[in-house]
Structure formats: structure tokens, C-alpha cells
Amino acid sequence: MSRKLLPVSITTALLGSAAVADAPNVAVDIAPVHSLVARVMEGVGTPDLIVPPGASPHEYNLRPSEAAALQNADLVFWLGEELTPWMAGAVETLAEGATVTTLLDSDGTVLLDFREGALFEAHDHDDEDDHGDEDHAGHDSHDHEDEHGDDDHTDHDHEEHAKDKDHDHGDDHSKDEEHAHDDGHDDHVDGDDHDHEKHAEHEGGDGHDDHGHGAHDPHAWLSPENAGVWLNLIAAQLSSADPENAGAYFANAATAREEMDGLSAEVSAMLEPARGGSFIVFHDAYQYFENTFDFPASGAISLSDASDPSPARIAEIQSRIRDEGIDCVLAEPQFNQGIITTVLDGTKANTGVIDPLGSDLEPGPALYPQLIRNMAETLAGCL
């Protein structure tokens, strides 16, 4: 009996291995997007994550294994160089033969403009809602004279971006002067250790120039609505590359979209008792979440993802906290915790840690919903 079962078991194992081996090689930039791709690929294959949890997506030096994942990729999914400016050159150089999907450029994605100033007013959210209703058509109507060029952005059309960037990693991804961290590979740095020199030209005020990489806020994954749009796009791209598993990809995407609807309802219920509370975030990354759940922040300590706020900005935030009785100031694990202590000095506001990247979560299909859930729990617990 054992002899008869053994060949069957081996055959089954080989077939299973072949199914995984036949799945496309997929590379994804950050953990939340990787989670969406992993959910669509569930049961078929596993995508590779390029920027590991805890690392800053804005400044990163590829490890050899991550460079190899890009080089071997059949498909690449990334948000775009607004979030990971260094990755444009890496994708163009290493993923030369891959189908590259830039999610921020995809049809149906709702994009929001960066907000200006340390303090957010109510009318700003109305403006964002109007922009959001335009869906991707609104994106097409915005001038990208600075660096984006045509919205007919092909998978590998990074030439214009490469010309505009002075910090291209190069073909061998050597650690250049702008991105080197001490030993050349200190990827998991805190915000206070970031190289601020390349942002110095943007530090003249609280305006748009602080952001440096375009007019649109790139943190679009914090909208479950955008995530739902991307699930279908991910399934379509995977199915095109791997028609034999198209049914599984689209079935997974449909189930995940239903789960996303349930997640949104769950988060709305979690936030309901805290409505009316006021909070300030470390940097302005959360307006997609705020708009989705109608839960606006009162301000941000820092507009830029990679620069510390000026003393004048900190004083402005402290004044707002004291004068308006702000309930909560939220820190982030990637940034300088000492600044939060300074901001809270002399106030009665609570504090908590909110994480838009899921740094402490295991990468995989479950990361995205848990990330959104954790953000809601942090907000509700702080207010």
C-alpha cells in the first residue's frame, strides 16, 4: 500500500511545485501594496517585497537580493516615483523586460493634492473631496510641468524622470553620496537620521516645495477605495501574464474587494465613538484615510516625509494644541520621537503611534487590512 501511495504523493508534490514555479515573478515596492498583490496571488504564487518593513521608502539602498528580485521580475507593481524617487532608475535599469504598473498613474485612482501649511482648515477637506470625485480624470487635468510629463505613462517610460533626478542609483546601485548611510547600508534609519541636505532647497517654507517629488500626495494606499481599484488592476495584469491562473486571480480580487467593503464598515464603526475629537499627525500622510472615513486631522508637524520641522513650525503647532485644545498628537515609528516630546511640552494632549506602512506587521495578504484596522484603533484610543 505504501509503495502505491508514494508515487502518487510525489506526483502531487511535483504538480504543486510546478504550479508555484509557473507563477510569474512579481516584485512590489512597499508592504501595503505587496499585501494587495499577495492577496490576489494567494494560492498561486508569492510576490517579492522590495522595501522591507521599517525602511523608509523615500530613501533606500537596494540589497543584492532585492536588486535580483527586480531583475528577475516578469511584473513590477509600484506606486510611483512620488513615493520612491530612487526606484525609477532601478526599475528602468534592472526590470528592463518586465511589465511595470505604476499605481498612482492608473485609471480610477483618486489622487489628492498636497495640503499647504502646518494647520488644516475645514475648507481644505471640501476641496479634497471635490478633487476626489474627479477620479483619475482629475489627475489628468492637473499640470505636471515639474516632472511628470504625459499621463500616458508607459510601463518603462522613465527617461524624463531620470533626467530630473540627481540621485539616480546607477546601473550597479552603488551607494552614492546622497543615499549613503554610515556603512553604506543603514536602510532602517529613523527620520532624524535622514540626509537633509538634498531637501535644503525645499525648506524655505511650509508650501508645496517641501514635498519635492510632485504635486500629488503619494500615500494613496491609505484609501481602501483606491486599494479596491488596484485589486482589479493587479488581477488583470497577472492574468495577462499568466492566463492559466486568470480565474484564481480574478476570484481572489473579487473576494478581496468584498473584504475591503467589510473593512471600511468595521473601521467606520471603530471611529464613531471618537468623532469630534481633534488630532495632529507627525507628517501629512493621512488625508486619504481622513477623507475615506470623514475623520479630518487638524494639522501636521512636518509636511515633508524626510525633513524635520523648523522651530517656527513647532511653535505654531504648540500654539494650536494649547489654544484649540487638541486632544491627540500622533507619532510615527519611522520618525524622530523627540520632536513629539517637544511639541507636547506644556500641553495636555494625549499621544500615540500611528504607522502608515505596517512596519511591525508580517508581510503578506493580511497586512493591508490589519494596517488600516490598526490606524483606526490608534486614533480611537488616543482621542
Side-chain angles (χ1 to χ4, degrees), residues 219-237:
H219 304 86
W221 71 88
L222 295 181
S223 162
E225 295 170 357
N226 279 339
V229 170
W230 296 343
L231 286 165
N232 276 356
L233 175 59
I234 292 164
Q237 295 290 65

Side-chain angles (χ1 to χ4, degrees), residues 34-65:
H34 175 269
S35 178
L36 299 176
V37 178
R39 181 67 183 88
V40 175
M41 293 185 71
E42 203 163 18
V44 180
T46 303
D48 291 309
L49 175 61
I50 300 302
V51 182
S56 169
H58 308 287
E59 295 176 319
Y60 186 67
N61 294 315
L62 289 174
R63 295 185 175 101
S65 61

Side-chain angles (χ1 to χ4, degrees), residues 261-306:
D261 292 340
L263 174 67
S264 294
E266 177 187 351
V267 168
S268 292
M270 290 169 59
L271 292 173
E272 194 60 37
R275 292 194 184 279
S278 55
F279 66 100
I280 285 175
V281 294
F282 185 92
H283 84 288
D284 188 14
Y286 302 95
Q287 61 173 326
Y288 290 95
F289 183 94
E290 296 168 38
N291 280 22
T292 297
F293 299 106
D294 191 24
F295 210 88
S298 296
I301 297 171
S302 174
L303 285 181
S304 172
D305 290 341

Side-chain angles (χ1 to χ4, degrees), residues 128-202:
E128 311 298 358
D129 290 338
D130 292 340
H131 178 72
D133 291 340
E134 297 170 1
D135 286 346
H136 198 67
H139 170 54
D140 292 342
S141 67
H142 283 276
D143 293 332
H144 285 206
E145 296 174 358
D146 51 349
E147 60 186 358
H148 285 284
D150 293 334
D151 281 336
D152 295 328
H153 178 71
T154 60
D155 290 335
H156 302 290
D157 186 18
H158 299 293
E159 287 80 5
E160 289 186 15
H161 300 303
K163 292 177 184 176
D164 293 336
K165 301 299 173 186
D166 294 330
H167 49 279
D168 186 7
H169 277 214
D171 291 355
D172 61 355
H173 293 271
S174 61
K175 299 161 184 67
D176 57 18
E177 291 180 0
E178 289 184 25
H179 294 291
H181 302 290
D182 297 331
D183 61 356
H185 192 70
D186 185 10
D187 298 326
H188 301 262
V189 295
D190 292 330
D192 53 318
D193 293 329
H194 284 175
D195 180 359
H196 301 309
E197 290 182 3
K198 71 175 188 169
H199 296 280
E201 62 182 307
H202 304 304

